[in-house]
Amino acid sequence: MRLIFVILLLSIFTAGTAFAESDTHKYNEANKLFTGGDYLSALELYNSIGIKNQNLEYNRGVAYFKLGRLGKAVLHFNRALRLNPDDEDAKANLKYIDSIKKDKEKKDKTGTLEELLSAFTNSFSMNGLTSITLLFYLLTAISISGYIFVRKTGNARRVIGAIVVFSTATLVLASLTAVRIYKFENKTMAVAMQEEIVARTGPTENANTAFIFHEGTVVTTGETRNGFVKVILSSGITAWAPLRDLEKI
Amino acid sequence: MRKLFLVISVLLLAQSAFANIKLSAKAEPAILPPGEAFRLVITVEEEGSLSLPDPVLPRLKNFEIVGKSTSQQISVTGLSSVTVTKSVVYQLVVPKEGVFTIPPVTLTYDGKTYATEPVTITADPNAPVPRSPRTARRRSPSFYSLFDRPPFKRADRGIRKDDLIFTAEFDKNRVVPYEQVIVTYSFYQAIDIWENPDLDKPDFKGFWVENMEFLNGRKEKTTKATIGDKTYRVTQVRFALIPLTPGEHEVAPATLVAQVDPWSNPVRLRTQPYAINVEPFPSADKPAGFQNMVGDYEVSTSVKPDKPEVNGGATLTIVIEGEGYLKPVPAPYAPVIDGFEIFDPQVKDTLDKSGARTKIRRVIEYPMIPRTAGKVTIPPIEFTWYDPDLGEYVKKSTEVIELDVKPTATAPPAPVAEGDVVQMAESIRFIKPDVKKLEDYGTPLHRSLWLFVFLLTPAPVILVSYMIARKREKLATDVAYSRLFNAAKNASRQLDEIKNVPDPKDFYAGVDKAVRGYLADLWNIPAPSIDEETVNRKLKDSENGIASDITALLNTVKMARYAPTSSSDMAKDIEKAKEVIKKMEQLS
């Protein structure tokens, strides 16, 4: 029985490793094809990799751009940034695409403190930030438990100090992590996939045209009705666009 | 009034058998500059029937229809003659210079077909510009807009039945799937009303619906019409209904609510339900791969650039343009072209709803990448549609395109900058490099169930810590509790220590000490005060004979200390002592 268990564990481990090796091989092969100018074959190979990886998303974006698919390129650069908000290449490429695409988007101005906090949180991976928060949470819990034992001794003050430090750090980190998780999970952003999309004043084909936006434009999406989704441009203008013409980031 | 209506009805019934139809068509003006609109007035005059069918306009290849209106006049002459005159006015635009002929307009009634004479139009740049009919339209009331309110005069008389009329007019009742039916809702008002009316259109179940437009993209049109001795202001909206499946589809009534004045109840006007028979496509000569395209189209194709490079981008564009509706029709599959990789197409539909029917311009773009250099022929792409006017399937193919695919050009040497570095070109950044292992981001930690288990763990740990700390405190401060807490443990330890002692005296002294010590800790009294009387008093309520067991044990131990016994008795006695402690623990 124990032997079967060991064999099972080994086979699961080897299968996982084999998949990882296969994906890595495909990724590196796709890079070769891309470098040789065969963007389509490279993209097909990138698309056949079934894992989430920031470099993979970035390279898919570049391949789509080379094939003239601006919407898809914007989508994958944004997905790369969701996995690694500090990816300077993805940011630069989005900035470049913004300079050549038809619709110009307004960028939100951020304060210095917000920028500093973003820089700090973005220097960790999503799971890294969550793990650090959990570590401080654990230290806070241990400190509280320790205080219970030493509360009537001379060490009580020191332990209280530790509790204050750890719990404050936990609260700050938990807030930053929550913001990061919210941004990660908040899939309300979408990218226009058609060359030209007519946004209407209501969720029907008969409604009047509110505005027209173009491929690659990033919009915030709201409720969905009747095959239409409410879209909000960066300027704040709202209308309804066909759901099939957008892809969520 | 009712008598007059009865008389008219009887006269009409009597005369229907002798119906005499006069059909005529004229252009106003017949000579005009190109690009200007003129009116094609078709008049149907008949004695004896109130329900005249609409005349059928032939296909107008050289004209653009920008509007249509209908009016009807009934005149009663003497007692025996009722004449109904129906006028259908089309607004047409002749786009280019020349002399054009509108073929005869036809009307089929009671098995007979009537036709007008052809009408000749001359588009001459030197002709005078006709008076624009737009002026009156700008002052029109609106179905939807509440800001364009007409001037109100209080009605000091009752409203007659024919003061407000609401009609629905369908241009066809027999169609094939995907063939459009135009319904025009007309609101005739002979009196001023307080508020703009609300149109409650039916849900058009079974149809794809497009709200048609008039000139300048307006969704409604206002004209004047005379019926009998009354002049009406007529407001119209139009919808194109596109049935998707065969069968009889009924269009439910539309309702219009008009508030005549602020003091009376609103007037509700309803149209009649209307049945549209959607017949299946004719099976005879139906081509294979027919994609439900219906209408009359022109097809063209182009490739840009015309000299693409190997592995460079190119786009094959197909344009389908004409009268019809293609939105529910899927784009054709990508053609197979040797030496090219072709991607899914991007389809862009532009609908022109300003004419008598919807016109569509569908642009299908196939991104392509040439893989080999040399001459490549893009074969003709065939399209098939059903033309309901002709009643047959039409096939058209795009033209053959010859392409010369060039090999990839060698990149020019990079310029060498002297002095300050100058960026020669900005482009997208290159791909990320190869990796030793492509990490899977997988499920993020915050979505894992273990995270929540981890978050909940400190609560019981803190609780247990608190309980342990309290117990330790109590043990340190409460002697009775401390003795009670440790009684069994101490007794058991002492019995274990003496079980191998060979000397019976020492052995029984140890047993005595362990048992008495246990009882003293249990009851928080000094060990020497444990005697038979104390045991019986403390255990007077116990029912399992424990008191007698303890006293018997203590007596045995006492006797054995002074009258030594065998080692087998010693083993039995230590077991008895353990048994007694066990029973006492169960008791407490």
Side-chain angles (χ1 to χ4, degrees), chain A residues 20 23-24 27-28 31 34-35 37-38 40-41 44 46 49 51-53 55 58-59 62 65-67 69 77 83 87-89 92-93 96-97 126-127 130-131 134 137-138 141 144-145 148-149 151-152 181 184-185 187 193-196 205-206 208 215, chain B residues 201 208-211 219 239 311 327 341 343-344 346-348 353 365 367 369 371 426-447 451 454-459 461-470 472-473:
Chain A
D23 287 339
T24 307
Y27 172 84
N28 294 339
N31 278 2
F34 184 96
T35 311
D38 190 353
L40 180 67
S41 303
E44 282 172 354
Y46 286 136
I49 301 171
I51 63 170
K52 281 183 191 172
N53 180 279
N55 286 4
Y58 174 87
N59 287 5
V62 179
F65 179 84
K66 291 286 183 188
L67 292 169
R69 306 283 294 275
F77 289 138
L83 296 171
D87 191 331
E88 288 301 329
D89 291 332
N93 286 351
Y96 176 69
I97 292 175
M126 182 84 173
N127 284 351
T130 313
S131 303
L134 289 178
Y137 176 73
L138 187 66
I144 293 170
S145 296
I148 290 169
F149 288 105
R151 67 186 191 277
K152 289 180 180 170
I181 289 173
F184 182 84
E185 293 292 347
K187 292 178 184 170
M193 287 295 148
Q194 294 296 331
E195 192 183 342
E196 186 177 285
E205 290 286 349
N206 297 330
N208 291 332
E215 187 179 9
Chain B
K201 65 180 187 328
W208 197 297
V209 183
E210 289 290 344
N211 194 348
K219 293 273 167 69
F239 296 95
N311 294 331
K327 277 191 178 178
E341 286 203 45
F343 302 92
D344 290 342
Q346 289 197 356
V347 180
K348 187 181 158 194
K353 298 186 275 189
E365 289 182 335
I369 295 182
R371 293 299 183 200
E426 194 186 358
S427 183
I428 203 149
R429 292 192 184 178
F430 205 65
I431 53 167
K432 304 274 185 190
D434 289 0
V435 289
K436 283 186 180 171
K437 186 169 184 281
L438 195 68
E439 297 290 343
D440 187 2
Y441 192 81
T443 308
L445 199 55
H446 65 266
R447 285 196 204 150
L451 175 80
F454 185 88
L455 287 175
L456 293 173
T457 309
V461 169
I462 291 171
L463 189 68
V464 170
S465 300
Y466 178 73
M467 288 166 69
I468 293 170
R470 269 200 76 179
R472 285 173 64 175
E473 272 178 30

Side-chain angles (χ1 to χ4, degrees), chain B residues 289-349:
Chain B
F290 175 63
Q291 287 277 339
N292 295 340
M293 272 178 77
V294 173
D296 177 29
Y297 302 101
E298 294 295 333
V299 182
S300 62
T301 183
S302 62
V303 175
K304 279 187 181 176
D306 54 354
K307 289 179 181 172
E309 285 184 4
V310 171
N311 294 331
T315 306
L316 168 66
T317 306
I318 299 171
V319 180
I320 308 166
E321 200 170 2
E323 190 178 282
Y325 195 76
L326 292 175
K327 277 191 178 178
V329 178
Y333 292 114
V336 177
I337 304 170
D338 286 343
F340 274 81
E341 286 203 45
I342 303 180
F343 302 92
D344 290 342
Q346 289 197 356
V347 180
K348 187 181 158 194
D349 288 335

Side-chain angles (χ1 to χ4, degrees), chain A:
Chain A
M1 186 67 191
R2 192 178 292 175
L3 185 67
I4 293 169
F5 182 69
V6 169
I7 291 168
L8 200 67
L9 266 183
L10 271 175
S11 55
I12 290 169
F13 176 74
T14 2
T17 315
F19 272 123
E21 279 176 6
S22 157
D23 287 339
T24 307
H25 179 71
K26 279 183 187 174
Y27 172 84
N28 294 339
E29 279 301 310
N31 278 2
K32 271 184 205 155
L33 288 168
F34 184 96
T35 311
D38 190 353
Y39 306 131
L40 180 67
S41 303
L43 180 65
E44 282 172 354
L45 209 50
Y46 286 136
N47 285 345
S48 70
I49 301 171
I51 63 170
K52 281 183 191 172
N53 180 279
Q54 61 208 40
N55 286 4
L56 175 65
E57 289 293 344
Y58 174 87
N59 287 5
R60 286 170 78 182
V62 179
Y64 272 120
F65 179 84
K66 291 286 183 188
L67 292 169
R69 306 283 294 275
L70 274 193
K72 283 277 190 188
V74 171
L75 177 80
H76 288 286
F77 289 138
N78 273 293
R79 284 185 178 167
L81 280 176
R82 278 185 70 213
L83 296 171
N84 176 19
D86 223 19
D87 191 331
E88 288 301 329
D89 291 332
K91 282 182 193 171
N93 286 351
L94 283 174
K95 194 176 168 189
Y96 176 69
I97 292 175
D98 199 40
S99 70
I100 60 168
K101 72 182 184 189
K102 286 184 179 171
D103 300 331
K104 306 295 174 201
E105 290 160 36
K106 280 187 180 175
K107 301 292 174 201
D108 291 339
K109 285 185 179 174
T110 50
T112 317
L113 180 65
E114 196 179 337
E115 278 177 10
L116 279 173
L117 288 175
S118 292
F120 170 72
T121 52
N122 292 348
S123 61
F124 297 100
S125 69
M126 182 84 173
N127 284 351
L129 191 64
T130 313
S131 303
I132 292 170
T133 310
L134 289 178
L135 176 69
F136 276 90
Y137 176 73
L138 187 66
L139 287 172
T140 308
I142 292 169
S143 309
I144 293 170
S145 296
Y147 173 74
I148 290 169
F149 288 105
V150 300
R151 67 186 191 277
K152 289 180 180 170
T153 67
N155 291 326
R157 284 190 140 204
R158 280 184 205 164
V159 180
I160 287 173
I163 290 172
V164 170
V165 170
F166 291 143
S167 59
T168 309
T170 306
L171 281 175
V172 172
L173 286 167
S175 307
L176 295 173
T177 311
V179 171
R180 180 89 177 265
I181 289 173
Y182 175 77
K183 282 183 183 170
F184 182 84
E185 293 292 347
N186 188 21
K187 292 178 184 170
T188 57
M189 306 302 285
V191 182
M193 287 295 148
Q194 294 296 331
E195 192 183 342
E196 186 177 285
I197 298 175
V198 177
R200 298 184 182 277
T201 51
T204 66
E205 290 286 349
N206 297 330
N208 291 332
T209 301
F211 54 82
I212 291 171
F213 60 110
H214 300 91
E215 187 179 9
T217 302
V218 179
V219 295
T220 307
T221 57
E223 63 174 304
T224 305
R225 212 189 295 174
N226 197 23
F228 280 76
V229 62
K230 193 184 262 184
V231 295
I232 306 158
L233 296 187
S234 57
S235 59
I237 311 171
T238 304
W240 295 83
L243 191 58
R244 63 175 184 272
D245 293 344
L246 298 165
E247 208 166 318
K248 289 204 169 183
I249 294 171

